[in-house]
Amino acid sequence: MRITRRLGLSLFGAALLGLGLGPAPIAGPAQAQDKELVIFAAASLKNALDEASAGFVTQTGRPAPKISYAASNTLAKQIEAGAPADVFVSADLDWMDYLAQKNLIRPETRVNLLGNRIVLVAPKNEAKPIAIEPGLDLVAALGAGKLAMGNIDAVPAGKYGKAALEKLGAWDGVKNQVAQADNVRGALLLVSRGEAPLGIVYQTDAASDPNVTIVGTFPEDSHPPIIYPIAVTKDSINPDAAGFVAHLRSSGAKPAFEKQGFTILNKPAPNS
């Protein structure tokens, strides 16, 4: 799809390269059925969504969707720049709201699909339980090391983590020792490789990596509710988009999400 806005090799160019897509004619009605279904999804969904996507292919006989995983903020900005996504799954409400305010999603398709928890993880061989409670002090546990987190200003997991640390009175003690990653899987990798003694990630990320162990779980009231909304983008012409969303809401996809530790919400968004 040719984009006529003035864009350099910025977010949109990166999105095309990452997806392996190049310029293509705008698909008409006869072409839409054969157009590749493109999903933009939060990085923390990878294991579960890969499995759920395989189920979609098995049950419908349709081609496998092309799924691009990254931080929700990055994906939302790429969609804003014109990247050819059919479906967006965010790790928080803020970035879905961002696209909704710009009229870039179809509000009638928006659903709050999943819930999650944030946890404190450590390398498996160095794990010692830490009580996550008011007055939490991570300074001693970190020593001279870093606390791995997603970007605290943009990445949902980083925003949730900072909010929780502030609520528990721990932020001021560790704010100068935070190693910020571009997405939550990047933060997980720092801990998995032993490059950071502690990290804040989603419970589902911890379940996906055998090299880390959960040493504490943040109270749900210490941060805003963790909700993953999904919606079809406004410019999507792919008829499989609605079917893919319906599959993720179905009982057939439920085991793939629950196995990774997600909570099934599957509720229409307010005012949708």
Side-chain angles (χ1 to χ4, degrees):
M1 179 179 294
R2 188 176 300 277
I3 306 299
T4 57
R5 302 176 192 174
R6 292 185 178 178
L7 293 171
L9 291 178
S10 57
L11 290 175
F12 177 62
L16 292 181
L17 291 173
L19 288 167
L21 300 174
I26 296 175
Q31 297 170 296
Q33 187 68 22
D34 297 324
K35 183 179 180 294
E36 184 175 46
L37 181 64
V38 179
I39 313 299
F40 277 17
S44 52
L45 285 162
K46 180 169 175 40
N47 297 69
L49 195 54
D50 280 351
E51 183 174 337
S53 177
F56 170 76
V57 173
T58 299
Q59 291 185 21
T60 66
R62 298 299 299 151
K66 178 72 174 181
I67 307 179
S68 178
Y69 295 103
S72 300
N73 58 298
T74 299
L75 298 172
K77 289 289 188 177
Q78 289 175 351
I79 291 171
E80 181 184 17
D86 295 296
V87 175
F88 177 48
V89 196
S90 175
D92 72 353
L93 298 175
D94 289 349
W95 287 107
M96 188 65 79
D97 289 343
Y98 178 86
L99 292 185
Q101 290 162 7
K102 294 180 178 295
N103 196 29
L104 292 173
I105 62 166
R106 298 180 188 175
E108 71 277 10
T109 69
R110 180 175 174 174
V111 173
N112 290 337
L113 185 67
L114 303 167
N116 209 340
R117 301 287 300 271
I118 53 170
V119 298
L120 189 67
V121 294
K124 186 174 183 179
N125 296 331
E126 303 171 23
K128 295 180 180 179
I130 295 176
I132 309 295
E133 57 190 10
L136 171 67
D137 184 358
L138 295 178
V139 176
L142 284 172
K146 298 288 187 178
L147 175 64
M149 297 175 64
N151 183 288
I152 60 172
D153 295 316
V155 175
K159 292 162 61 180
Y160 291 131
K162 180 184 177 184
L165 292 175
E166 288 178 330
K167 182 72 176 290
L168 297 171
W171 177 248
D172 286 343
V174 300
K175 63 184 180 183
N176 294 325
Q177 289 180 260
V178 173
Q180 299 184 55
D182 290 339
N183 58 64
V184 68
R185 287 297 173 100
L188 178 69
L189 191 59
L190 289 174
V191 181
S192 181
R193 289 176 173 174
E195 296 172 18
L198 293 171
I200 298 176
V201 300
Y202 294 118
Q203 173 180 272
T204 52
D205 295 305
S208 73
D209 192 326
N211 295 318
V212 305
T213 296
I214 295 174
V215 295
T217 300
F218 287 87
E220 292 190 51
D221 63 0
S222 67
H223 54 77
I226 300 176
I227 297 173
Y228 287 64
I230 185 172
V232 177
T233 61
K234 182 185 177 184
D235 292 337
S236 173
I237 60 172
N238 196 314
D240 283 343
F244 186 76
V245 173
H247 173 72
L248 296 189
R249 298 185 64 188
S250 73
S251 58
K254 186 177 179 181
F257 293 120
E258 290 185 332
K259 182 167 68 176
Q260 294 298 324
F262 287 99
T263 302
I264 307 298
L265 301 179
N266 200 7
K267 298 178 180 178
N271 302 319
S272 65

